[in-house]
Amino acid sequence: MKNNLLLRLALILMLLPTLGVAQNDAEPYTINHGPYLQGLTYDGVIVCFTTSHRGFSGVEIRRKGTEQVRLCRTSKDGLFEADNTLNSIHIEGLEPATEYEYRIISKRMLSFEPYKVTFGEEIASEWYTFSTFDPKAEAVTFVVANDIHDDAKKCADLLSHMPLDEASMVFYNGDIMSHYSQQGQPYASFIDVSVEKFATQKPFAVVRGNHETRGHLARQYGDYIHNTRDGKYYGVYYFGTTAVVMLDCGEDKDDAHPVYAGLVDFDRYREEQAEWLKQVVRSKAFRRAERRIVIVHIPPTVERMAEVEQNAKVVPDLMTWRGNAHLGELLLPILNKADIDVMLSAHLHKQVIFPVQPGVVEFPIIANDNVSAMVVRSSSEGVYVKIVGRDGAIKHEKTY
Ligand SMILES: [Fe+2]
């Protein structure tokens, strides 16, 4: 009997490589990152997470206080996503301004042969809650943090001074990573800490900076970040009477700069966004909004902004960089006519507030430094912006 058992064990060990079983086979099956919410709207959400081993996963969702559960999975071309670890489950058809509960369910896949699939452990997460956005909301509060540069402790410190209970979501305004060069880096840099602080209940969006486009894995960043349902980094969030436009700035230097080795196409990409932006600012939803905020990592600049005394030193310097100058040339003519209340930027690693300059820039541009986060509250009183340092000190507070 004992010999028989040893023989079977030896046979299983011999078979393991052919079954594609990972080296850490003996470790229990877990949800090892997330869940975190992305792309929340009035009627949908994307739930993201990873499992420790390959599996078959889904999300169960129910209206809070009810028992009827809907199972959501990702399905493409007739096939459910399976035998994977990284998941982003799109859930649609939700009611606006409604509280939901969700949990992850997952089955480990031990083998996946053409005519025989062997499942392993089945797991379920705890139930988490979130609310869909309210199309009738008269006010919204959100948080903006930027230039974290892979420092998860800084991310945690900045978030610790932010009113995450009151906020509807967090916008990470670029350079959250310095470059994407290691597997799992987005988790270590900011996603895990976001999950711990808020992201199981409230979404974040990543408005990319010039640094997130760097590194040999930058082209896979979209596997983790789902700002919009159509999978683009740029887009618009609507919170009732407030519209928030996210623009994807691209690189700071010219596309032909040798450091990019001919691998980038940001001039064309910024032009694509300018064409898209023209449609957005003409749209009913955008015109109907009472307050309009733009978030972009690199502040757009034009020469004439240097006429303002305090900008005389900053702007000429910025104009030597392709990113600022091209964004200025493309975006300002569109946004100057679009009744923008305020633009929120980053990138400079110091606080610079570019004031309204009629005929040049018709809205203030607030570039946050790299050691502070912003609370933004948009209401009938205007757009209130408070900038709080890593130490909790208030560095700027004004209603625009
Ligand atoms: Fe930057």
Side-chain angles (χ1 to χ4, degrees):
M1 187 71 180
K2 198 176 170 187
N3 279 346
N4 197 6
L5 197 70
L6 283 172
L7 196 69
R8 277 159 66 184
L9 203 66
L11 201 67
I12 289 168
L13 285 171
M14 276 164 60
L15 276 171
L16 280 182
T18 59
L19 294 174
V21 177
Q23 288 298 305
N24 56 355
D25 182 46
E27 287 174 16
Y29 188 53
T30 59
I31 295 150
N32 54 353
H33 297 283
Y36 60 98
L37 302 183
Q38 300 268 274
L40 185 64
T41 58
Y42 298 142
D43 58 5
V45 71
I46 303 165
V47 179
C48 304
F49 55 93
T50 61
T51 53
S52 57
H53 305 74
R54 288 174 173 275
F56 178 42
S57 303
V59 170
E60 289 184 340
I61 188 162
R62 65 189 183 198
R63 265 180 93 127
K64 194 170 182 187
T66 65
E67 292 297 315
Q68 201 184 345
V69 167
R70 191 176 124 201
L71 173 59
C72 304
R73 297 190 193 276
T74 302
S75 167
K76 188 167 179 275
D77 307 323
L79 300 173
F80 282 129
E81 178 119 60
D83 198 35
N84 60 320
T85 57
L86 181 58
N87 292 273
S88 53
I89 312 265
H90 290 236
I91 302 173
E92 290 172 6
L94 303 178
E95 296 294 319
T98 303
E99 200 171 3
Y100 286 92
E101 294 178 311
Y102 73 96
R103 68 171 183 172
I104 298 162
I105 52 142
S106 188
K107 276 197 280 198
R108 183 170 176 177
M109 289 177 71
L110 295 174
S111 73
F112 191 178
E113 295 171 64
Y115 301 100
K116 185 169 184 269
V117 174
T118 310
F119 292 104
E121 301 137 270
E122 290 186 37
I123 54 173
S125 73
E126 62 180 278
W127 288 93
Y128 301 96
T129 59
F130 73 95
S131 294
T132 44
F133 293 149
D134 181 0
K136 295 195 180 84
E138 293 288 332
V140 64
T141 299
F142 58 84
V143 165
V144 184
N146 52 273
D147 293 282
I148 286 164
H149 287 282
D150 298 295
D151 186 346
K153 176 72 169 67
K154 177 160 89 174
C155 189
D157 290 350
L158 291 172
L159 291 173
S160 72
H161 303 299
M162 293 289 110
L164 294 170
D165 287 343
E166 185 197 340
S168 290
M169 68 179 287
V170 172
F171 289 93
Y172 286 119
N173 195 8
D175 291 4
I176 307 306
M177 301 194 303
S178 295
H179 45 82
Y180 184 8
S181 305
Q182 285 175 12
Q183 291 295 345
Q185 190 178 340
Y187 291 128
S189 296
F190 69 101
I191 295 178
D192 286 348
V193 70
S194 301
V195 169
E196 198 186 304
K197 296 260 181 198
F198 68 89
T200 59
Q201 294 180 48
K202 298 177 179 195
F204 62 80
V206 177
V207 180
R208 286 194 310 181
N210 48 308
H211 277 269
E212 274 106 358
T213 61
R214 299 176 188 173
H216 74 285
L217 297 174
R219 285 152 187 80
Q220 294 167 30
Y221 198 37
D223 295 343
Y224 297 82
I225 305 304
H226 307 271
N227 289 345
T228 60
R229 282 189 215 177
D230 64 11
K232 292 196 185 303
Y233 289 105
Y234 61 87
V236 194
Y237 276 87
Y238 288 101
F239 307 94
T241 51
T242 302
V244 178
V245 174
M246 303 177 293
L247 292 164
D248 193 8
C249 64
E251 268 293 358
D252 50 4
K253 292 177 276 298
D254 196 283
D255 286 350
H257 194 286
V259 289
Y260 306 136
L263 301 177
V264 305
D265 185 25
F266 288 117
D267 272 2
R268 197 204 50 76
Y269 182 52
R270 283 185 287 254
E271 281 158 16
E272 169 192 314
Q273 290 180 71
E275 288 308 308
W276 167 83
L277 187 61
K278 284 178 194 166
Q279 306 300 319
V280 169
V281 302
R282 277 201 288 263
S283 69
K284 254 190 198 163
F286 193 79
R287 298 314 310 160
R288 223 183 268 145
E290 288 167 26
R291 284 162 304 283
R292 304 175 189 90
I293 299 165
V294 179
I295 303 185
V296 60
H297 174 78
I298 292 181
T301 47
V302 287
E303 296 278 7
R304 282 183 59 203
M305 285 166 73
E307 287 168 11
V308 178
E309 198 182 343
Q310 71 215 66
N311 293 335
K313 283 189 183 138
V314 180
V315 174
D317 188 33
L318 293 181
M319 287 305 293
T320 64
W321 294 82
R322 177 62 179 166
N324 303 83
H326 196 214
L327 290 168
E329 177 193 318
L330 290 173
L331 301 182
L332 293 182
I334 304 166
L335 294 175
N336 277 345
K337 289 185 271 180
D339 294 325
I340 304 300
D341 290 85
V342 66
M343 174 182 274
L344 307 173
S345 285
H347 184 60
L348 306 179
H349 288 209
K350 64 177 179 181
Q351 190 187 99
V352 179
I353 299 175
F354 301 90
V356 171
Q357 200 179 343
V360 182
V361 53
E362 302 285 349
F363 47 87
I365 302 174
I366 303 174
N368 185 31
D369 65 26
N370 62 332
V371 283
S372 308
M374 302 190 208
V375 188
V376 180
R377 182 173 166 80
S378 168
S379 71
S380 57
E381 288 163 31
V383 180
Y384 165 80
V385 178
K386 182 167 79 171
I387 302 181
V388 184
R390 188 175 181 174
D391 57 359
I394 297 174
K395 293 182 166 177
H396 179 80
E397 192 173 20
K398 189 172 171 178
T399 299
Y400 290 90

